[in-house]
Amino acid sequence: MKYIYRFEEGNKDMRRLLGGKGANLAQMTTLGFPVPDGFTITTEACQAFYDNNNQINDDTLTQIEAAIAQLSEKVGKQFNSPTNPLLVSVRSGAAISMPGMMDTILNIGLNDQTVEVLANMTDNRRFAYDSYRRLLAMFGNVVYEIPEGVFDQVLEDVKTTHNYQSDLDLTVSDLKEIVDQFKDLYVSKAGKVFPQDPKEQLLAAVNAVFESWNNHRAQVYRRENHIASDLGTAVNIQMMVFGNAGEDSGTGVAFTRNPATGENKLFGEYLLNAQGEDVVAGIRTPQPISTLADTMPDLYNEFAAIAKKLEFYYRDMQDLEFTIEHGTLYMLQARDGKRTPTAAVKIAVDLVDEGLISQTEALLRINPDSVGAILYPEFDEAELDQNTVAASGLPASPGAASGQIYFTAESAKAAHDDLEQQVILVRQDTSPEDIEGMVISEAIVTSRGGMTSHAAVVARGMGTPATVGVNGLQVDYQNRVATISGEQLNEGDWISVDGTNGNIYIGQIMTNDTKVNDNLSTILEWSKQESDMGVYANADTPADFAQALKFGADGIGLTRTEHMFFKPERLLEMRRLIIAEDAKEREAPLAELAKMQQGDFYELFRLSEGRSVTIRLLDPPLHEFLPHDEKEIQKVADQLNIDPNYLARRVDALKEINPMLGHRGDRLAVTFPDIYEMQVRAIIGAALDLLDQGLIIEPHIMIPLTGSKAEMKWVREVVVNQVEQLFAKKGAKLEYTVGTMMEIPRACLTADKVAEVSDFFSFGTNDLTQLTYGFSRDDVGSFMPEYIKKGILPADPFQTVDVDGVGELMKMAVEKGRFAKPNLPIGVCGEIGGDPKSIEFFEAIHVSYVSCSPYRVPVAKLAAAQAHIKLNKKKDVMANLVKN
């Protein structure tokens, strides 16, 4: 098997075999750009290395020997030559870019003999010994795992002794002393000696780079970026060119466009008399690349021309590494550059405008999650660098905010209203009782709960940053203190919450606000053109819906009516309703709630301007609305003007062993049909009021938690009877539909029967996942991270659809439902509806629409477009295969 390719043998399309760096070095060589000669050891050699018990196999060793001989002949240099020694770099290069995750060693081939040869050849002893100390430090760290800081300390000690300000102040004598001390470290720290044989150095370096594929930081990076662990890394062996050869030499990194803003202008920095790691490590302050135009104008113009050609060739913004050796430019790397979300969107739009890529290509190049990040406030990066993460939890609702902490909704609201403070509500967990404090909070933090907990769902709906299930957070309500990783915080202390990453910081950090700009609007418009899937919002209030409409929502896919009862006066009536012992006692609270609900629906319908609005009838585990302890019971009893002992008995009577599987959803309609009748009258009443004003509304009424055709049929009749009665009373009619929320496995298994009495399906993926796995969605935070870390689950199934289990149920329900009704509309309204990976699956099983929290609407729109484009590409490939 061929394990090695010379640069002139490869091209950019061989990334999987040569890695990104090797493929691009090969392509630049083919294009005639100034690339130092070399060769690439393939990713297949890396796989063979792991198959051979972490040893380079004989075939690879033989081919390395031959490749070095060819390189030596071509460049006229040889290992250990007394007149012209060959020196090489050894660099990793995976198929998918993993910047800084794996290892690199420069100056391989230097030893006690060749360092003197290099000094004499260049007439620059300082340069030669500076290169030798760099090799010793990098080789010792990468191959023998001697901590980098040990070598840095030696360097700092010498500089301190002589009162030097910079590495450049080190003399030849100093560098020789450092080299000797570095060699001593090999013995004292690793029990090894530095190998003087260049071939032994090379093979040890290749071995170390292969092993670095599985180092901890590389594993974490792959896990976070969903990169397969079996790809392996290539290794690039390249003749050294030296940026540290004097003041006419240097090294730098540049981008063909600004990676932060996307501005079409060469952006980067360089250092004179330095090697590559100096720029990255920040040991010295680099110069903006624009100043190179003044100091070396011809070289700058040559580099700018190459940069422009590479961007045109690759049709994307490029990240370039270069070295200048005695005034001659060498290109060491070209790759698609990492960029901020804002820059990614601008660059994609600009490249379309410049005719380099199509709209379809532009859409495929943007990470949908990055679009979401554009819309949320972020912490200022400069300030963030000066702060340490105090604790981490689940990133429940994105965005960043700072505020003063309070532990009860009452104290948070008082601090906000009376003292005009920015507050953050910190709780063990939240309940509807806390809604006043949640509404006015800059962010929400809980020590318990998962991604679909009360705090998470409400925060996402409000667009409020939230971190839940925070490790190391303890809340002492009695003493009004919290402990985060051992540090005690009192009410009024400042913390900063990054809901995008789940991090908590002590103190205040400045944020930068963002908004939908023209470029993002363009991307969203293109997304709409490329997708057949509707994107709706989960919106419980007019404010939610208004925000979603700004982001281009097609309408409302889910209004959770129980969320409308969180305001204090509504919560009171809801409690009065729940504790009522018979239909007669329910009449008064139902009448009050009906007025409130009809007003809510009127506003949502008015804002819709005829767009689709789907309203889910009441689906609360009743315990969520009830007081939980003696203090709350007393407070609620006073509000309701009833005996607290009576209230306590009613609360106790309504308690359920597992309320999430208990008296909720359409089970309420079966036992208390008057509750659903009230809601239906409010929905249709609001629509008829708007019909009088000339706005035609077609309400979609959704029945939750259906498990069978018989159940759905019974509740549907309750709904239809109320609608028809109201039509008769008002003397007017309008179109409406009655569908069901598919969230019980049994409903999916019998979807053909359920469809006979349903006008539409909408998957509630939170409950469907919970009931399929047997996981409590509020408690998975205690074990889910370990399941993912240990590879038991590829991802949290409440965040990304479980294709093999939950997905199979969904696919079955789609097929069975449409067998019964070919044109049955089918949606997804759980939080997974805004997850790009899940949307790709939903496109494949022909879901009609998704619905998600307002701030996920742009993410879902782009993801839906990408899914449609990818599916069409697959169909084209299959069609061509059949044709041929």
Side-chain angles (χ1 to χ4, degrees), residues 84 111 134 150 175 269 274 282 293 312 343 361 397 455 459 507 657:
N84 199 8
N111 55 29
R134 292 172 185 270
V150 174
L175 290 166
E269 51 195 21
F312 183 82
E361 287 177 292
S397 182
I657 294 172

Side-chain angles (χ1 to χ4, degrees), residues 565 569-570 573 591-601:
F565 300 120
E569 68 278 8
R570 299 180 177 210
E573 293 302 329
E592 290 299 316
L593 291 171
K595 296 175 191 174
M596 300 170 185
Q597 289 258 276
Q598 185 159 332
D600 293 333
F601 300 142

Side-chain angles (χ1 to χ4, degrees), residues 27-36 305-307 309-310 313 329 331:
Q27 192 66 62
M28 285 195 293
T29 299
T30 302
L31 292 171
F33 295 137
V35 176
I306 289 173
K309 288 176 183 176
L310 283 169
Y313 183 81
L329 175 68
M331 301 301 298

Side-chain angles (χ1 to χ4, degrees), residues 534-538 555-558 828-834 849-853:
V535 177
Y536 296 82
N538 298 343
I556 294 179
L558 172 66
V828 176
C829 60
E831 280 301 311
I832 283 176
Y849 67 89
V850 294
S851 187
C852 54
S853 59

Side-chain angles (χ1 to χ4, degrees), residues 737-752:
T737 63
V738 182
T740 186
M741 201 168 190
M742 301 291 282
E743 50 194 334
I744 292 181
R746 191 185 188 284
C748 296
L749 294 168
T750 61
D752 50 342

Side-chain angles (χ1 to χ4, degrees), residues 358-580:
S358 66
Q359 288 185 18
T360 300
E361 287 177 292
L363 293 176
L364 290 175
R365 286 187 180 185
I366 301 170
N367 180 346
D369 282 321
S370 72
V371 170
I374 292 175
L375 304 174
Y376 293 100
E378 298 175 335
F379 285 129
D380 181 81
E381 287 191 14
E383 284 201 28
L384 199 60
D385 288 341
Q386 299 173 24
N387 286 269
T388 303
V389 175
S392 295
L394 297 173
S397 182
S402 294
Q404 294 170 265
I405 61 172
Y406 288 88
F407 306 120
T408 66
E410 293 83 2
S411 60
K413 190 173 189 304
H416 175 271
D417 294 349
D418 301 339
L419 304 177
E420 297 184 353
Q421 290 182 351
Q422 295 173 254
V423 304
I424 289 179
L425 184 64
V426 176
R427 307 253 323 144
Q428 289 179 343
D429 49 33
T430 63
S431 71
E433 190 74 36
D434 299 314
I435 192 64
E436 281 193 297
M438 298 174 78
V439 167
I440 52 83
S441 290
E442 305 295 320
I444 297 163
V445 177
T446 66
S447 61
R448 301 173 185 161
M451 294 294 287
T452 55
S453 63
H454 177 267
V457 171
V458 173
R460 281 194 293 270
M462 296 190 302
T464 301
T467 297
V468 302
V470 176
N471 295 320
L473 170 62
Q474 295 178 318
V475 181
D476 181 346
Y477 294 128
Q478 185 172 354
N479 295 307
R480 297 193 174 191
V481 296
T483 305
I484 295 182
S485 300
E487 182 164 349
Q488 183 173 301
L489 298 172
N490 299 305
E491 280 197 336
D493 287 346
W494 283 85
I495 66 168
S496 297
V497 179
D498 187 338
T500 305
N501 298 309
N503 293 332
I504 308 291
Y505 303 85
I506 306 299
Q508 188 174 8
I509 302 175
M510 185 173 73
T511 58
N512 299 318
D513 288 330
T514 51
K515 59 182 180 180
V516 177
N517 55 34
D518 291 342
N519 292 315
L520 181 54
S521 294
T522 299
I523 290 294
L524 294 179
E525 181 57 36
W526 291 347
S527 297
K528 187 175 182 180
Q529 295 168 14
E530 293 286 347
S531 174
D532 292 334
M533 184 183 290
V535 177
Y536 296 82
N538 298 343
D540 308 324
T541 66
D544 291 345
F545 193 21
Q547 186 65 68
L549 290 173
K550 288 180 183 178
F551 294 150
D554 295 320
I556 294 179
L558 172 66
T559 290
R560 294 158 290 204
T561 53
E562 62 274 8
H563 286 191
M564 295 175 163
F565 300 120
F566 287 156
K567 292 180 180 178
E569 68 278 8
R570 299 180 177 210
L571 186 57
L572 191 64
E573 293 302 329
M574 188 64 182
R575 285 170 165 167
R576 196 190 306 276
L577 173 69
I578 292 170
I579 65 170

Side-chain angles (χ1 to χ4, degrees), residues 829-877:
C829 60
E831 280 301 311
I832 283 176
D835 172 62
K837 283 199 168 184
S838 302
I839 287 172
E840 194 165 334
F841 173 72
F842 301 150
E843 173 76 17
I845 65 172
H846 307 297
V847 163
S848 313
Y849 67 89
V850 294
S851 187
C852 54
S853 59
Y855 279 84
R856 296 293 289 178
V857 166
V859 177
K861 287 173 75 72
L862 176 57
Q866 290 181 346
H868 189 67
I869 293 166
K870 290 174 184 176
L871 188 64
N872 283 340
K873 284 187 174 183
K874 286 181 183 178
K875 288 178 180 177
D876 291 342
V877 170

